[in-house]
Amino acid sequence: MNEIVIIGAGYTGMAATMSVAARVKGRDDVHVTLVNPQARFTERLRLHQVASGQNLADLEIPELLAGTGVEFVQGWVTAVDADAQTVRIDDEYTLRYDTLVYALGAVADAEAVPGVDEHAYTLNSAHDAELLAEQLDRLATGTVVVAGGGLTGIESAAEIAEQRPDLDVVLLSSEQPGAMMGPKARARLLAGLARLGVQVRASVDVVKVLPDAVALADGEILAAQAVLWTAGVRVSPLARATGLRVDERGRIVTDAALRSVSHPNVYAVGDAAAVQQRYGVLHGTCQSGIPTGVHAAASIARQLKGKQPKPFRFGYVHQPVSLGRHDAVIQFTRPDDTPGRFYLAGRWAVAYKETVSASPWKTYRLLKLLPAVGAVLWRRGGRSTR
C-alpha cells in the first residue's frame, strides 16, 4: 500500500488533499491520510471579521472528505522523522508514509518582541480571533492597537474600526501601510483608513507589549486596552528538527517540482516551503500557496504512474485588501508581485475581494470530481488573495 500523508489542513493542505484524492480515486493500492489539530476548517482570510465580532460558517473537514476515501486524523503533529518516514501524532503514535505533503503553514511571530506572547492577541486561529472579539465586547471605550502594516493588519484595523466606531483604533507600522502598492492605490487605501477613523502611525517600531500598553522605540508608552499582533510571521520549528534541509527562516528548501532537496519523497507547500522562481523565493500568501498544493497533488499522481513531476511556475496577479464591509482596494500586479499600472477601489473592489476571498468549499467539492479544476481555477492565483 502506498501511503500518502498530508499534514496541515489550511487552504493549501486542503487543496492538496482534495486534488490528490480525486486523482487517485479508484486505486486500491493508495491510501491518503490528512492530519490536522481541528476538525473545523479555518477561514484565515476572514479571521479579522471574527475578531470584530462577526460569525463565519461552520465548515467541518470530515464532512467535506466524505466519499473521497481520505482518512482524517485529528491531532497535533509533534515530530517528523524524514529518514524513517514517520509522523508522530500527539506524542502518542506514529504514521508511516511513502510520500509526505508538508503544509503546516505559518503563524504570527509572537516571539520577536517581548510581551507579545503574554499580552497581545493574534489571528493564528479562529479561537484566537474569538478571544479578541470577547475582549472588544467588554470595552465601552478605549484604544485598540494593531501592530503591523501588512494586509492582515490593515484589514483588521479597518474591520474593527467599522464594527466598533466607539473605540479608537491605532495602526502601527514600521513602514507605510500599503507600501507594496503603487502610489495611487496606496493613497486610496490610506484615505479609506482615515474615513473609518483609523489612526495610522508609520515608521514606528514596537519594542515591548505591556499588559495595558505598548512601548515604542522612541520611548513613548501608548496605552491600549487590546493589542492585535500582525507584525511578521514564522514557520513551525518542526521542519528544522526533521532532518529536512531548511533555509534561514526554517522553510523547507524545494526543487523545481516542490520536493525537498534533501528528501524527495517530501513535498513542501505553502508558507512552509522556500520555493524558488525566476524573480526570487515565493513569499507566504494564500495566492501563491494554493497553487503549490494543487501542483504537489498533480506531481504525486504523475509519480504513481511512473512519470516525472513537472516544474512549478507561478506569477502573482493582485494585492487585494478589504477596508471593512463596504470598501476595498485591489492593486493588480506584475507576475513578480510588483505593482502594475491599474488598481480598483470602492464597491467594485468590494465585489472583487468578496469573490476571491469566498469560502473555498465549493471549489474543494469540485476538486472531488474534477482534478483538472485545480489547474484552471488556481493558475496564477485566480481564486486566492494572499
Side-chain angles (χ1 to χ4, degrees), residues 47-245:
L47 287 183
H48 57 284
Q49 293 178 242
V50 177
S52 67
Q54 301 169 59
N55 294 319
L56 300 182
D58 186 10
L59 305 176
E60 295 295 322
I61 295 171
E63 292 180 10
L64 180 66
L65 295 178
T68 64
V70 175
E71 179 182 358
F72 178 67
V73 174
Q74 185 172 350
W76 290 92
V77 176
T78 52
V80 174
D81 189 327
D83 294 325
Q85 298 182 198
T86 58
V87 174
R88 185 77 174 165
I89 310 296
D90 291 330
D91 278 335
E92 294 179 356
Y93 61 96
T94 60
L95 299 175
R96 186 193 68 81
Y97 66 81
D98 295 294
T99 302
L100 176 69
V101 179
Y102 190 105
L104 292 185
V107 296
D109 190 355
E111 300 176 355
V113 172
V116 172
D117 196 35
E118 297 90 345
H119 306 304
Y121 296 89
T122 67
L123 298 182
N124 289 338
S125 67
H127 177 67
D128 293 335
E130 289 164 358
L131 290 177
L132 176 55
E134 292 170 2
Q135 171 63 6
L136 297 182
D137 194 51
R138 289 189 286 265
L139 300 177
T141 60
T143 298
V144 178
V145 167
V146 179
L151 298 185
T152 301
I154 293 168
E155 290 191 331
S156 300
E159 202 75 42
I160 294 170
E162 183 176 81
Q163 297 294 322
R164 294 297 306 273
D166 52 329
L167 299 176
D168 295 323
V169 180
V170 180
L171 178 62
L172 303 180
S173 179
S174 59
E175 59 183 7
Q176 187 72 251
M180 77 295 290
M181 295 181 169
K184 292 183 179 179
R186 183 167 60 251
R188 178 61 177 78
L189 183 148
L190 294 173
L193 289 173
R195 178 183 56 79
L196 291 170
V198 176
Q199 304 172 43
V200 176
R201 297 184 58 179
S203 302
V204 171
D205 291 318
V206 177
V207 296
K208 190 173 185 178
V209 179
L210 306 169
D212 55 0
V214 294
L216 306 182
D218 62 2
E220 180 184 356
I221 303 297
L222 178 62
Q225 282 65 55
V227 177
L228 172 60
W229 192 262
T230 70
V233 297
R234 61 179 175 84
V235 299
S236 169
L238 189 65
R240 194 181 296 277
T242 62
L244 298 165
R245 186 183 301 176

Side-chain angles (χ1 to χ4, degrees), residues 251-271:
R251 299 174 298 182
I252 298 170
V253 180
T254 73
D255 65 10
L258 306 182
R259 298 172 298 187
S260 163
V261 294
S262 60
H263 296 74
N265 63 335
V266 176
Y267 283 84
V269 295
D271 295 351

Side-chain angles (χ1 to χ4, degrees), residues 256-257 276-279 291 295 310-315 379-380:
Q276 184 72 43
Q277 297 288 278
R278 287 178 298 175
Y279 48 79
H295 185 86
K310 296 180 179 180
F312 176 74
R313 296 288 182 265
F314 176 80
R379 184 177 292 121
R380 301 188 77 246

